[in-house]
Amino acid sequence: MKPSLSVIFFTVSSGAGFGLMALLALADVLQWGGGLSDGAIVGVGLIALVLVTAGLLSSMLHLANPKNAWRSFSRFKSSWLSREGVFAVAFYPFALGYLLLAYLGVAGAPRAIAGVGTIALAWITLYCTGMIYASLKPIPQWHTPLVPIAYFVLGHYSGALLLFAVLVYGGQGAPVYLYSVLTWLALAAAVKAIYYAWMRRPGVGATINTATGISRARVRLLDVGHSHGTFLTNEFGFILARKHAVLGKVLVFVVGFVVPLGALLLAPQIVVTALFAAVAATVGLIVERWFFFAEARHVVRLYHGL
Amino acid sequence: MKLGLVIDLDTCVGCHACAVACKEWNNSSSVSGPLSDYQPYGKAPSGVWFNRIRHYEIGEYPTNKTLNMPMSCMHCEDAECVTVCPTGASYKRPEDGIVLIDQDKCMGCNLCSWACPYGARELDQDSGTMKKCTLCVDRIYDLELPVEERQPACVLACPTHARMFGDLDDPDSEVSKTVRERNGFGLMPELGYKPVNQYLPIREVKPVPAHTAAPLLIEGVKQFTNRIINR
Ligand code: SF4
Ligand code: SF4
């Protein structure tokens, strides 16, 4: 699949935003490390909303006919993309209400309810985004429960890192937030490792024989029938060299996981290292997203001899 | 009803007449037209087509064959392209199973083209909307046309009659009978889309010896002298 920058930015940015918001509200509701100051909650919450909003707006850039985007809420019953849109919009009143209560210093049940609603909607939206990809049968590399799980975990990993970095900056970086980062980092690395191992053989898939219905002989493309590129070759014909695929995985692990881990273990409570870890992880996740697209092979490629 | 096409891979000669007729008819159709072209007279001409023909070689020399494979929307029974569409632009008509895209509703997100295994959907860059085969819905029900012309443009254009159109739900229809007799099949059944369009396989024929052993030298001399004498 052709890696599209607007979709890469959308998934990384809003993934981090939803993860950040969910962990922030979770920390507040469960009073992790004695809880956060209301000022910190509002500050971090606004960062999360900016990330979510920037991501969602960027996903609009990818539409060829954005004037009809409002219609995308209409197929909630069948379409994961529609569900994602509905839940992402439903997330806003809860998140804004929750931040308003924190801003006003209201504690107790109303804030807890708004907080839990925020967490639930952030989680559901993340799951829906993952399912948009996982529901596509013609793309074997995506048609697996590992995809929504990885998207969920990676969003929380980058969210946890951002939360920690901002808290360290504000002098509130209690150890529990560092442990949260390390837990999500371990989960993220584990899920990606499983995914990459699985992707070497993503199930029994279609071949050029099942695609053409010629099951008893070798089939080889003679001519694609068009002289220059088509929508199909442009969208699905992207070819990634094998050595680049390996390089990509190494990059994801080194920049996305090993470097942030090193920085955090060396000097967790220093603003610069915490921020550095967050930036490195974000770069790692952008690379991860790019290869997520680049390595996905749509079955229509079979008809093109690819 | 399950309207669809049956394509005879045995008789298709790969001339692209169906694709051209399709482009011509649908370009001026109000259902999904026009089918935009990009740089039609430029260096890299490209554009939207509902039907594409690809050419393959099957088997090994000397028993290899050419396979010409026209493909357009299969009007699948389990059309995931419709399921994933968030706007409701893509829909499957309950009365005849034709899968269509409402051009006024599509937002050009491309998701349906990702969900289609057969490459049947192409985004029109000029309109920003997704387009695909309509099974010539604006021909097949047109009472102004003579009955024999109420068929998709591709079917009428095919010079070898490799394309048939009909109701694959009706076991007694010509198309259903032909599919039964000739062991018709759908493409990539393992994905579970249940494509309505069916393909008829290439007929089995005895392999023709492609070359004979080189004549003996003495035979060659005999033929040569015969030729000289005959002159
Ligand atoms: S061939 Fe593709 S576009 Fe046509 S109904 Fe099937 S999935 Fe949809
Ligand atoms: S491109 Fe149009 S028809 Fe296809 S899924 Fe998106 S809105 Fe629906």
Side-chain angles (χ1 to χ4, degrees):
Chain A
M1 305 289 293
K2 185 182 72 186
S4 136
L5 289 184
S6 60
V7 177
I8 293 176
F9 179 78
F10 152 59
T11 48
V12 172
S13 178
S14 68
F18 283 121
L20 178 57
M21 194 71 208
L23 289 172
L24 174 73
L26 204 61
D28 181 35
V29 171
L30 300 179
Q31 292 288 305
W32 281 357
L36 297 164
S37 71
D38 289 346
I41 292 177
V42 175
V44 175
L46 288 178
I47 294 175
L49 284 183
V50 167
L51 286 172
V52 168
T53 311
L56 292 176
L57 289 179
S58 152
S59 74
M60 300 269 295
L61 291 179
H62 152 88
L63 302 180
N65 193 22
K67 72 171 192 299
N68 276 341
W70 62 275
R71 293 185 186 271
S72 65
F73 304 117
S74 68
R75 285 299 178 274
F76 181 82
K77 268 196 196 153
S78 51
S79 161
W80 284 106
L81 181 49
S82 193
R83 288 173 197 157
E84 178 204 45
V86 169
F87 286 119
V89 169
F91 166 82
Y92 278 92
F94 279 91
L96 287 172
Y98 168 71
L99 292 183
L100 184 68
L101 291 176
Y103 178 73
L104 297 176
V106 181
R111 177 153 146 193
I113 291 170
V116 170
T118 305
I119 298 166
L121 283 161
W123 282 352
I124 295 171
T125 312
L126 281 174
Y127 177 68
C128 290
T129 307
M131 283 308 292
I132 294 174
Y133 300 95
S135 65
L136 297 169
K137 279 186 244 170
I139 306 172
Q141 288 79 6
W142 291 355
H143 188 51
T144 160
L146 287 169
V147 164
I149 295 173
Y151 187 61
F152 185 90
V153 171
L154 290 176
H156 281 71
Y157 166 48
S158 51
L161 244 178
L162 282 174
L163 177 62
F164 180 66
V166 176
L167 291 182
V168 169
Y169 177 78
Q172 299 187 37
V176 63
Y177 295 101
L178 177 62
Y179 301 150
S180 152
V181 175
L182 296 177
T183 310
W184 287 110
L185 187 152
L187 280 175
V191 172
K192 278 320 281 187
I194 294 171
Y195 178 70
Y196 286 148
W198 169 84
M199 208 165 61
R200 290 161 58 177
R201 277 190 72 98
V204 187
T207 65
I208 192 166
N209 294 90
T210 65
T212 54
I214 307 298
S215 52
R216 285 188 295 172
R218 185 193 62 138
V219 182
R220 177 173 82 81
L221 180 75
L222 283 181
D223 192 280
V224 276
H226 55 78
S227 49
H228 288 89
T230 68
F231 168 78
L232 299 171
T233 55
N234 184 37
E235 191 77 6
F236 306 115
F238 185 89
I239 294 181
L240 181 73
R242 190 174 292 265
K243 65 171 190 286
H244 292 159
V246 175
L247 180 73
K249 285 166 194 150
V250 174
L251 266 181
V252 169
F253 269 83
V254 172
V255 182
F257 303 133
V258 178
V259 170
L261 180 67
L264 287 178
L265 291 184
L266 276 180
Q269 296 297 345
I270 297 176
V271 179
V272 180
T273 46
L275 267 180
F276 173 75
V279 171
T282 308
V283 173
L285 293 200
I286 290 173
V287 176
E288 186 270 341
R289 255 342 52 188
W290 195 89
F291 281 93
F292 177 73
F293 281 91
E295 284 202 279
R297 302 166 67 89
H298 194 286
V299 292
V300 81
R301 294 162 63 104
L302 297 169
Y303 292 107
H304 296 83
L306 296 172
Chain B
M1 272 208 291
K2 263 167 33 183
L3 295 184
L5 299 170
V6 172
I7 295 167
D8 190 346
L9 297 175
D10 194 57
T11 45
C12 173
V13 289
C15 68
H16 293 239
C18 52
V20 175
C22 164
K23 179 104 171 166
E24 186 183 17
W25 174 262
N26 286 293
N27 197 37
S28 50
S29 143
S30 58
V31 184
S32 285
L35 278 65
S36 302
D37 281 320
Y38 322 122
Q39 317 181 30
Y41 306 105
K43 280 229 167 65
S46 175
V48 180
W49 293 73
F50 291 171
N51 185 1
R52 292 188 181 271
I53 297 94
R54 303 184 185 93
H55 311 274
Y56 303 90
E57 179 193 41
I58 59 181
E60 306 289 339
Y61 178 84
T63 53
N64 51 347
K65 287 182 189 139
T66 302
L67 171 74
N68 302 301
M69 187 134 209
M71 284 178 69
S72 51
C73 174
M74 312 279 163
H75 299 280
C76 305
E77 284 181 66
D78 282 344
E80 289 276 328
C81 57
V82 172
T83 314
V84 302
C85 175
T87 60
S90 284
Y91 62 103
K92 185 169 174 69
R93 308 198 331 165
E95 64 272 31
D96 54 15
I98 300 181
V99 174
L100 291 174
I101 303 166
D102 185 338
Q103 296 294 312
D104 294 332
K105 288 188 183 165
C106 173
M107 66 175 186
C109 67
N110 276 357
L111 189 58
C112 55
S113 72
W114 294 6
C116 171
Y118 306 106
R121 295 177 164 246
E122 303 196 8
L123 187 88
D124 185 326
Q125 287 171 21
D126 291 352
S127 65
T129 52
M130 197 54 74
K131 298 192 172 170
K132 65 176 273 301
C133 161
T134 64
L135 214 55
C136 286
V137 68
D138 50 346
R139 282 193 70 91
I140 56 177
Y141 291 112
D142 187 350
L143 299 180
E144 303 279 300
L145 290 173
V147 181
E148 63 279 10
E149 281 186 32
R150 288 181 212 158
Q151 300 200 56
C154 55
V155 174
L156 295 172
C158 179
T160 63
H161 301 289
R163 306 176 71 91
M164 283 152 270
F165 162 72
D167 178 9
L168 287 138
D169 213 15
D170 171 8
D172 298 323
S173 66
E174 277 309 307
V175 280
S176 297
K177 280 194 237 160
T178 315
V179 167
R180 263 200 313 276
E181 279 160 22
R182 296 271 314 275
N183 294 322
F185 57 87
L187 304 183
M188 285 196 278
E190 67 275 29
L191 289 184
Y193 282 55
K194 300 204 201 112
V196 171
N197 288 10
Q198 299 285 304
Y199 288 81
L200 306 178
I202 296 183
R203 288 185 173 90
E204 294 280 342
V205 285
K206 277 212 195 86
V208 183
H211 57 88
T212 42
L216 294 171
L217 182 62
I218 182 76
E219 286 292 317
V221 173
K222 258 192 213 159
Q223 278 169 16
F224 179 74
T225 23
N226 279 348
R227 242 183 291 153
I228 299 279
I229 294 166
N230 281 346
R231 265 194 207 154

